[in-house]
């Protein structure tokens, strides 16, 4: 697979969505400070640092995520159940905060970290989203755990690079999700006389007319983050992987005619959605597709857990999937990872949790239920059937181009992303693509350079 598009070594400031030199130096200094703290607090002894003593863990374990609701919660539960089975004396406190993509959870987490009240382990997307925590010294350097568990041999370098700063690894990725998926109801397409999902956004716009004439919603949408999820995939489809990746490292000009045209396409696409009555989260946005009132929805492949586990549908019958228009051969990727906060109240138990999250057994228990593929390179492939066989094959195919998701924390750090989020809210209201492009470009200059 061509991983060039997203990343190379983290010490190379040109990586897509990577740190700019000034921020890089700051991150380095803080990472070093965190390491010194860890060394002072824990000494060099492996056991004191967290080496597995082989003893069964006991006490509480507070686990923080945004996995609630149909699809997300089943995967989480499968992994927590396995942890419970292996550690019967641990009392799990599941502090999940509802809201897809973690928008609400991240606000709650920010307050807790500020108040020095961290949970024992919390969810962060691998990539740019984790950088602020590393810079602020909120998370422990987990390199020792990676070495103990031999994980460097069984996780892809691209992914490890995204959670590494100055050769120190700060989280444990549990999965890989694909963002650029267009889900559809095959019966709705058939009824409207549409033979296949669109392979470009202009084809989608033509199909939308046909669908609307048949009294169907062409594409469903949900809250702001799902609109950003759609935006990233329209940009990817219109600009191609190179142009898209360049948006995150300054090499594609946001104000160029190509980008502004792609933004206008996004506005046109939005015009063929149910945005006026947008659903409250990603699951209810899928319901009109499931019920046959709408044809399409663009969502990450956690949707498969909702279709299958929550709604009891079968792949290719009740629902089907295609690459988001114009993104065939491209894998727009994100990964959920887990951290060890500095001052985690139950550090030893948290380390056991992380060991499970990074293990083959943990990942093969979690991912088939969650609707994702393992972050590890050594899964039991027989477990990934139906829809999941496709992302697993594509992720491992050298011909696939990998890019990173904006809405799910891979490419823009929190400071820049917050500006993009708020500019997008306005853009969706006004349709002013030039104003959005210039706001995003300005925010890049303000936050990244
Ligand atoms: C993503 C997360 C997925 C899934 C999704 C919907 O950000 O990475 O695991 O939870 O949000 O909530």
């Amino acid at each position: 697979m061509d991983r060039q598009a997203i990343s190379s070594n983290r010490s190379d400031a040109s990586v897509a969505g990577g740190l700019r030199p000034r921020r890089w130096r700051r991150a380095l200094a803080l990472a070093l400070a965190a390491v010194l703290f860890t060394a002072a607090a824990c000494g060099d002894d492996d056991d004191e640092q967290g080496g597995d003593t082989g003893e069964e863990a006991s006490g509480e374990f507070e686990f923080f995520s945004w996995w609630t609701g149909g699809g997300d919660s089943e995967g989480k539960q499968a992994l927590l159940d396995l942890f419970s089975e292996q550690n019967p004396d641990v009392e799990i406190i599941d502090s999940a905060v509802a809201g897809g993509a973690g928008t609400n959870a991240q606000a709650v987490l920010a307050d807790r970290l500020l108040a020095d009240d961290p949970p024992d382990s919390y969810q962060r997307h691998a990539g740019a989203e984790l950088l602020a925590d590393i810079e602020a010294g909120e998370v422990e350097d987990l390199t020792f755990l990676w070495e103990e568990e031999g994980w460097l041999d069984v996780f892809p370098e691209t992914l490890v690079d995204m959670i590494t700063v100055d050769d120190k690894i700060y989280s444990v990725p549990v999965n890989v999700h694909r963002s650029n998926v267009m889900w559809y109801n095959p019966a709705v397409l058939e009824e409207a006389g549409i033979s296949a999902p669109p392979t470009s956004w202009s084809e989608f716009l033509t199909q939308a007319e046909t669908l609307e004439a048949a009294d169907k919603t062409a594409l469903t949408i949900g809250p702001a983050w799902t609109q950003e999820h759609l935006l990233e995939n329209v940009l990817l489809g219109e600009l191609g992987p190179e142009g898209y990746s360049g948006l995150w490292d300054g090499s594609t000009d946001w104000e160029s005619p190509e980008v502004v045209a792609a933004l206008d396409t996004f506005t046109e696409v939005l015009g063929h959605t149910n945005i006026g009555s947008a659903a409250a989260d990603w699951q209810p946005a899928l319901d009109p597709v499931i019920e046959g009132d709408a044809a399409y929805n663009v969502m990450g492949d956690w949707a498969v857990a909702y279709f299958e586990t929550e709604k009891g549908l079968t792949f290719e019958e009740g629902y089907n999937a295609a690459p988001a228009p114009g993104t065939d051969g491209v894998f727009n990727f994100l990964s959920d990872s887990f951290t060890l906060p500095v001052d985690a109240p139950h550090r030893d138990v948290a380390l056991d949790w992380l060991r499970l999250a990074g293990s083959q057994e943990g990942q093969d228990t979690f991912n088939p239920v969650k609707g994702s593929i393992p972050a590890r390179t050594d899964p039991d492939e027989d477990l990934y059937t139906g829809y999941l066989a496709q992302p697993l094959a594509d992720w491992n195919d050298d011909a696939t181009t990998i890019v990173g998701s904006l809405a799910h924390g891979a490419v823009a750090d929190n400071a820049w992303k917050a500006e993009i989020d708020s500019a997008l809210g306005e853009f969706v209201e006004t349709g002013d693509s030039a104003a959005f492009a210039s706001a995003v470009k300005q925010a890049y200059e303000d936050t990244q350079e």
Side-chain angles (χ1 to χ4, degrees):
M1 109 183 55
D2 170 14
R3 297 178 191 275
Q4 299 288 320
I6 182 162
S7 185
S8 58
N9 193 303
R10 262 293 181 203
S11 57
D12 170 359
S14 71
V15 303
L19 290 170
R20 310 310 301 166
R22 182 169 61 81
R23 294 172 60 76
W24 181 254
R25 280 195 297 275
R26 202 148 42 97
L28 177 67
L30 283 155
L32 280 172
V35 169
L36 287 178
F37 170 84
T38 308
C42 307
D44 289 327
D45 183 291
D46 249 359
D47 281 345
E48 281 180 42
Q49 195 177 32
D52 191 0
T53 57
E55 281 169 31
E56 214 170 72
S58 62
E60 287 182 348
F61 168 63
E62 189 191 359
F63 172 72
F64 187 95
S65 77
W66 58 84
W67 287 334
T68 66
D72 275 354
S73 56
E74 288 89 347
K76 170 191 69 178
Q77 206 50 52
L79 192 52
L80 290 179
D81 285 350
L82 179 60
F83 187 58
S84 242
E85 208 177 283
Q86 294 179 350
N87 300 278
D89 294 330
V90 169
E91 187 196 337
I92 297 174
I93 299 166
D94 179 3
S95 298
V97 177
T103 338
N104 304 334
Q106 291 181 11
V108 171
L109 181 65
D111 286 347
R112 289 192 55 174
L113 295 180
L114 207 61
D116 205 14
D117 173 31
D120 293 310
S121 184
Y122 62 81
Q123 179 180 7
R124 276 282 191 230
H125 291 117
E129 185 179 292
L130 188 62
L131 295 175
D133 292 351
I134 299 171
E135 288 189 27
E138 296 287 4
V139 285
E140 278 200 32
D141 167 16
L142 293 173
T143 314
F144 73 93
L145 188 66
W146 278 74
E147 283 167 358
E148 274 174 26
E149 299 296 312
W151 287 339
L152 285 164
D153 299 331
V154 289
F155 280 81
E157 219 180 305
T158 315
L159 194 49
V160 178
D161 283 347
M162 295 181 76
I163 51 173
T164 301
V165 169
D166 189 36
D167 294 333
K168 298 184 172 51
I169 310 176
Y170 286 92
S171 71
V172 179
V174 72
N175 67 358
V176 165
H177 266 309
R178 186 176 209 161
S179 157
N180 59 317
V181 189
M182 185 174 233
W183 305 96
Y184 63 97
N185 182 325
V188 171
L189 262 56
E190 203 185 316
E191 208 184 305
I194 294 171
S195 58
T199 57
S200 68
W201 283 105
S202 78
E203 193 188 346
F204 166 79
L205 292 171
T206 308
Q207 286 192 6
E209 308 277 342
T210 309
L211 288 160
E212 284 155 6
D215 213 19
K216 305 288 179 193
T217 301
L219 183 76
T220 62
I221 197 81
W225 74 264
T226 68
Q227 295 160 25
E228 190 164 89
H229 186 110
L230 177 64
L231 172 70
E232 72 183 30
N233 286 303
V234 173
L235 289 171
L236 178 59
E238 293 292 284
L239 302 173
E242 208 177 313
Y244 171 83
S245 291
L247 293 169
W248 316 120
D249 66 7
S251 61
T252 296
D253 183 355
W254 276 91
E255 295 187 301
S256 65
E258 295 76 22
V259 175
V260 174
L263 292 171
D264 287 334
T265 301
F266 170 69
T267 302
E268 276 190 75
V269 169
L270 272 189
H272 295 280
T273 65
N274 56 350
I275 192 158
S277 55
D281 210 345
W282 63 272
Q283 295 101 330
L286 289 171
D287 288 342
V289 177
I290 294 170
E291 286 152 15
D293 297 327
Y296 299 115
N297 179 273
V298 172
M299 190 38 55
D301 51 10
W302 44 90
V304 78
Y306 187 66
F307 288 127
E308 302 253 345
T309 321
E310 190 76 11
K311 297 290 175 180
L313 301 178
T314 305
F315 179 53
E316 291 175 332
E317 289 173 24
Y319 75 101
N320 210 338
T327 70
D328 195 17
V330 184
F331 197 120
N332 186 3
F333 119 101
L334 60 122
S335 165
D336 295 301
S337 76
F338 288 92
T339 60
L340 179 61
V342 166
D343 290 340
H346 308 96
R347 183 176 183 277
D348 288 348
V349 190
L351 280 168
D352 280 345
W353 153 258
L354 292 171
R355 281 189 188 94
L356 178 65
S359 71
Q360 189 189 38
E361 184 186 13
Q363 302 214 345
D364 276 345
T365 299
F366 171 75
N367 286 297
V369 186
K370 178 67 169 66
S372 40
I373 56 171
R376 291 176 64 114
T377 52
D378 58 353
D380 175 354
E381 294 192 6
D382 293 347
L383 296 171
Y384 301 87
T385 54
Y387 164 79
L388 285 179
Q390 191 66 48
L392 188 62
D394 291 347
W395 179 250
N396 291 309
D397 183 347
D398 283 343
T400 301
T401 304
I402 309 286
V403 301
S405 164
L406 165 68
H408 306 279
V411 289
D413 71 11
N414 298 349
W416 189 27
K417 184 166 174 296
E419 300 286 336
I420 298 175
D421 293 353
S422 95
L424 179 59
E426 209 161 307
F427 174 38
V428 167
E429 287 285 311
T430 63
D432 190 342
S433 50
F436 177 69
S438 112
V440 174
K441 186 174 174 177
Q442 185 61 50
Y444 178 80
E445 282 161 14
D446 293 347
T447 60
Q448 312 295 299
E449 289 183 338

